[in-house]
């Protein structure tokens, strides 16, 4: 379980691994981003040198919205771990296609191969067409989160208990012994979502909660809600916020790039994505989900990354990142247009400014 959130602890950074084609925007703008293994090994090394803490691999089983090619997340994570020495890699797992037994064994083995640098992101699923295509039952919204919570409880129980017994609605174990256990520290468990069910699950069982991009005030309200529930449950959870970075030497340059992305958006793909995610959200009891308030322009970046407004000069972006930290964020999960060069630029120009602002804040606190 993570330590209690400490606003004086350095903010951590993760990047989306482009292990699916099409990059991180639903746009026909030319992108110098590759989905192949060699591009991503080099990117992981660049990110490690730049000061990133985590890389998040994506799981997609079918084509759609520009992602015509998809590498499987767990195997791809192991390739990135083999190319780096410090970076932690978060492998996305989708309950249904994955069973906790297989996931627990896979991740435990990778923990030994990587000196405990593997983590998991439990994805409850939003794309009904994907489940239909691979012959997996499509559960309703609440059941998907109930299954994900059982999945997490099973992973943690298998890893922590000498003999694991569990009787749930989706998974059952009787005196299951798995050896070897993962190395210490145990793999961290991430999850995403913005619905009531997602937040409540995070407040009960997850180490980390990822939320879509949003304004600082809206993120603060989400975090306050989750942390209050987590405290009631005697649980601790850390928060990661999605953002899409367009860092350029001038604000005008950055805004021009954003406009080019939007001008060359793929309308049919964006509309299709909008239809799917709105359907998924309407299936929740409150009638909304991750993308309930997202416009079509927002959805050109899958996870509302434009809403976080990390678009401008390095100093502007650093100041906005600190505002999210002050709202209770522990980690920024970032996407880029041209990954290799822009991750390097972020590490060279933005991260040092973030660290300087953190030092200034701490000095004021200590001497103020």
């Amino acid at each position: 379980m993570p330590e209690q959130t400490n606003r004086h602890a350095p903010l951590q950074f993760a990047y989306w691994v482009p292990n699916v084609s099409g990059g991180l925007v639903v746009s026909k703008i030319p992108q110098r981003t590759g989905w192949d293994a060699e591009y991503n090994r080099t990117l992981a090394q660049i990110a490690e040198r730049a000061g990133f803490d985590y890389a998040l691999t994506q799981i997609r089983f079918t084509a759609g919205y520009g992602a015509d090619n998809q590498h499987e997340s767990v195997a791809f994570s192991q390739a990135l771990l083999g190319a780096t020495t410090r970076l932690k890699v978060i492998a996305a797992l989708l309950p249904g296609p994955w069973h906790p037994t297989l996931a627990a064994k896979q991740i435990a083995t990778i923990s030994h191969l990587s000196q405990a640098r593997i983590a998991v992101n439990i994805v409850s699923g939003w794309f009904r067409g994907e489940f239909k295509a691979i012959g997996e039952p499509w559960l309703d919204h609440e059941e998907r989160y109930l299954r994900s919570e059982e999945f997490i409880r099973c992973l943690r129980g298998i890893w922590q208990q000498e003999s694991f017994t569990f009787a749930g609605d989706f998974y059952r174990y009787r005196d299951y012994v798995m050896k070897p256990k993962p190395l210490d520290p145990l793999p961290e468990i991430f999850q995403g979502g913005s619905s009531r069910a997602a937040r409540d699950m995070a407040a009960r069982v997850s180490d980390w909660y990822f939320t879509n991009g949003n304004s600082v005030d809206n993120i603060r309200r989400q975090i306050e809600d989750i942390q209050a529930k987590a405290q009631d449950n005697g649980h601790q959870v850390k928060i990661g916020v999605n953002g899409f970075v367009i860092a350029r030497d001038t604000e005008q340059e950055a805004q021009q790039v954003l406009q080019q992305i939007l001008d060359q958006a793929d309308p049919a793909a964006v509309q299709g994505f909008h239809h799917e995610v709105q359907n998924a959200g309407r299936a929740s009891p409150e009638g909304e989900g991750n993308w309930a308030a997202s416009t079509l322009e927002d959805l050109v970046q899958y996870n509302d990354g434009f809403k976080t407004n990390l678009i401008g000069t390095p100093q502007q972006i650093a100041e906005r990142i600190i505002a999210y930290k002050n709202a209770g964020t522990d980690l920024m999960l970032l996407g880029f247009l041209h990954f290799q060069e822009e991750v390097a630029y972020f590490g060279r120009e933005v991260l040092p400014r973030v660290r300087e602002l953190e030092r200034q804040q701490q000095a004021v606190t200590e001497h103020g």
Side-chain angles (χ1 to χ4, degrees), residues 39-264:
Y39 181 94
N40 274 283
R41 287 191 188 96
T42 301
L43 173 58
Q45 293 165 347
I46 291 170
E48 185 170 75
R49 290 194 298 270
F52 279 75
D53 304 281
Y54 296 91
L56 172 64
T57 57
Q58 305 173 63
I59 185 58
R60 293 285 290 274
F61 284 98
T62 61
Y65 318 116
D68 293 334
N69 297 281
Q70 320 92 32
H71 282 301
E72 188 275 318
S73 54
V74 176
F76 212 79
S77 296
Q78 177 58 14
L80 302 185
L81 289 164
T84 54
T85 59
R86 183 190 59 80
L87 190 72
K88 297 176 184 175
V89 182
I90 310 164
L93 302 176
L94 184 59
W98 265 277
H99 190 279
T101 310
L102 173 61
K105 196 70 171 173
Q106 277 182 308
I107 300 304
T109 295
I110 296 175
S111 173
H112 284 262
L113 295 173
S114 66
Q115 292 75 52
R117 290 189 291 127
I118 186 71
V120 296
N121 181 39
I122 307 306
V123 182
S124 295
W126 57 265
F127 187 11
R128 182 174 185 170
E130 183 174 50
F131 276 69
K132 181 179 179 181
I134 62 175
E136 280 287 333
W138 178 247
L139 306 179
D140 71 27
H141 185 273
E142 295 300 282
E143 285 183 313
R144 293 200 299 279
Y145 280 96
L146 288 171
R147 178 170 65 179
S148 290
E149 181 166 339
E150 285 192 12
F151 194 100
I152 290 171
R153 291 185 185 278
C154 290
L155 280 184
R156 193 170 279 125
I158 292 167
W159 287 338
Q160 290 182 324
Q161 297 177 27
E162 180 65 24
S163 176
F164 180 61
T165 296
F166 183 85
D169 292 326
F170 299 94
Y171 306 111
R172 290 178 177 265
Y173 290 88
R174 182 177 297 170
D175 301 326
Y176 175 50
V177 177
M178 189 200 79
K179 292 184 179 180
K181 305 292 189 189
L183 296 177
D184 286 329
L186 290 178
E188 294 172 294
I189 297 176
F190 293 71
Q191 64 142 114
S194 295
S195 66
R196 179 75 269 160
R199 282 179 278 166
D200 288 352
M201 184 176 98
R204 288 190 294 267
V205 296
S206 300
D207 295 323
W208 286 87
Y209 170 79
F210 280 139
T211 188
N212 277 2
N214 216 320
S215 68
V216 172
D217 287 341
N218 285 338
I219 292 294
R220 181 183 290 109
R221 282 192 285 270
Q222 275 192 48
I223 291 173
E224 288 172 350
D225 173 74
I226 292 167
Q227 298 296 14
K229 292 216 164 190
Q231 186 171 11
D232 290 343
N233 295 332
H235 184 64
Q236 294 169 5
V237 60
K238 291 184 178 182
I239 309 296
V241 174
N242 182 67
F244 191 84
V245 176
I246 305 177
R248 298 294 186 270
D249 292 340
T250 69
E251 184 177 11
Q252 183 182 13
E253 284 180 272
Q255 290 295 334
Q256 285 175 345
V257 173
L258 173 62
Q259 195 58 51
Q260 289 166 7
I261 293 171
L262 295 175
D263 288 346
Q264 298 181 61

